[in-house]
Amino acid sequence: MGSLLGTLLAATAALYTLSAISHLLCVFRHGYEAVARCATRVSWAAHSTTLVLLLAYTGRMPVYTRFEFAFLFTWFLVGVHVLIEVLRENQTAGPFLLPLIAVLQVAGVAQWGAAHESLGLHHLPGSLVGWHVGVMLLGYGFLAASFVSAGLYLLQERNLRVKRWGPIYYRLPSLESLDLWGGRFVYVGFLLLTIGMAVGIAFAQGLWQQPWRWDPKVVFTVLIWLVYAGYLLMRNLRGWGGRWAAWWSVIGMAGLLINYLVVNALSYMHRYGV
């Protein structure tokens, strides 16, 4: 089963890479939309199959290691994208979302050897997984959606500034709509992030009978929380939006990626597995 999972994981990463490339090509010219749409759906189907096998292999929710969390998180993001694509026939988020997914999937392939060894070694209370990890995952999903909105805003704003009327220009929503939805996604994501952190603190008091407050993961997550708190504060008190708000959202997503790719390796309380 382990070798089959590794093969499916590599195939899924390759498909997502193809999907990311085809979506990026759509930015510059017509004709790749059908390829991008097909590649994304096939990638998500392969992703779903691999996820089901992973569930059967471990017999638990796939959130106990960094690899599992990223695999479930990317499946959720692409699933929402595919649903929007089917219902609204809109692929505009693809050039920003799919490259991010492809990077995370390739990173998963790179760490599969170590991740495979730790899949069955880490078990936390089910209540912790269901509340803390689950709520944090949903919060990250909405913050990632804000990043996509911000990226689309910056692209459309540049198109208007340089008067470039390429294929992507006519498929993108207005700047006002992108700015509005970017802010709404941050509102929801920040609320879920706050709840997830509060639940994590409550569980930590009972689980760990040792100091945990200066754990690098905790400290960096608080810093990210402050970044988004500043975003909402400026938006509410100053009526702030537009380009600077979009860049602030991009910086927030960069922090989330650093938190996952770098800080987890430094944490001594959250380092449950690769």
Side-chain angles (χ1 to χ4, degrees):
M1 178 73 82
S3 60
L4 176 60
L5 280 171
T7 301
L8 285 173
L9 181 64
T12 301
L15 288 168
Y16 274 127
T17 302
L18 173 62
S19 178
I21 292 172
S22 58
H23 273 287
L24 289 173
L25 289 173
C26 289
V27 174
F28 303 103
R29 62 180 64 186
H30 291 292
Y32 292 94
E33 291 81 5
V35 175
R37 181 166 54 251
C38 180
T40 303
R41 294 180 186 182
V42 171
S43 300
W44 193 70
H47 197 160
S48 300
T49 301
T50 309
L51 184 61
V52 170
L53 289 176
L54 183 63
L55 285 166
Y57 184 61
T58 59
R60 54 173 170 74
M61 285 295 292
V63 291
Y64 288 86
T65 67
R66 283 185 294 142
F67 163 77
E68 293 174 281
F69 183 89
F71 201 67
L72 180 62
F73 181 57
T74 52
W75 176 84
F76 168 73
L77 289 180
V78 179
V80 173
H81 173 71
V82 170
L83 181 63
I84 294 173
E85 188 182 80
V86 171
L87 297 179
R88 302 292 297 274
E89 297 183 357
N90 191 317
Q91 295 176 277
T92 53
F96 289 89
L97 178 63
L98 270 301
L100 174 64
I101 299 298
V103 168
L104 292 174
Q105 289 295 318
V106 171
V109 172
Q111 64 183 8
W112 168 245
H116 181 215
E117 296 178 0
S118 63
L119 284 180
L121 302 178
H122 305 276
H123 295 278
L124 293 174
S127 54
L128 173 62
V129 174
W131 288 99
H132 175 56
V133 181
V135 173
M136 295 291 283
L137 186 147
L138 285 175
Y140 291 159
F142 279 98
L143 295 176
S146 175
F147 160 74
V148 172
S149 296
L152 293 175
Y153 180 97
L154 293 170
L155 177 61
Q156 187 73 317
E157 193 240 5
R158 184 178 183 278
N159 286 337
L160 290 169
R161 193 169 63 250
V162 302
K163 296 181 172 58
R164 178 179 296 169
W165 321 122
I168 194 68
Y169 170 79
Y170 297 99
R171 292 198 293 267
L172 287 175
S174 67
L175 292 180
E176 293 78 7
S177 178
L178 289 168
D179 182 56
L180 176 64
W181 280 102
R184 288 175 175 175
F185 287 138
V186 172
Y187 277 113
V188 179
F190 180 78
L191 175 62
L192 291 170
L193 185 64
T194 304
I195 294 172
M197 290 172 61
V199 172
I201 290 171
F203 275 109
Q205 298 287 2
L207 281 174
W208 295 313
Q209 304 302 319
Q210 56 177 306
W212 54 267
R213 294 173 182 81
W214 297 112
D215 173 66
K217 177 79 171 183
V218 174
V219 173
F220 204 81
T221 301
V222 170
L223 291 177
I224 292 173
W225 184 89
L226 290 173
V227 167
Y228 284 108
Y231 174 99
L232 294 177
L233 189 65
M234 293 294 289
R235 198 172 185 94
N236 282 296
L237 296 184
R238 299 291 182 89
W240 191 63
R243 183 194 303 178
W244 290 109
W247 277 115
W248 200 313
S249 186
V250 170
I251 292 171
M253 176 51 61
L256 288 174
L257 288 175
I258 293 171
N259 202 17
Y260 165 70
L261 295 172
V262 179
V263 179
N264 268 3
L266 305 175
S267 172
Y268 54 88
M269 304 303 291
H270 286 79
R271 198 174 183 179
Y272 304 129
V274 176

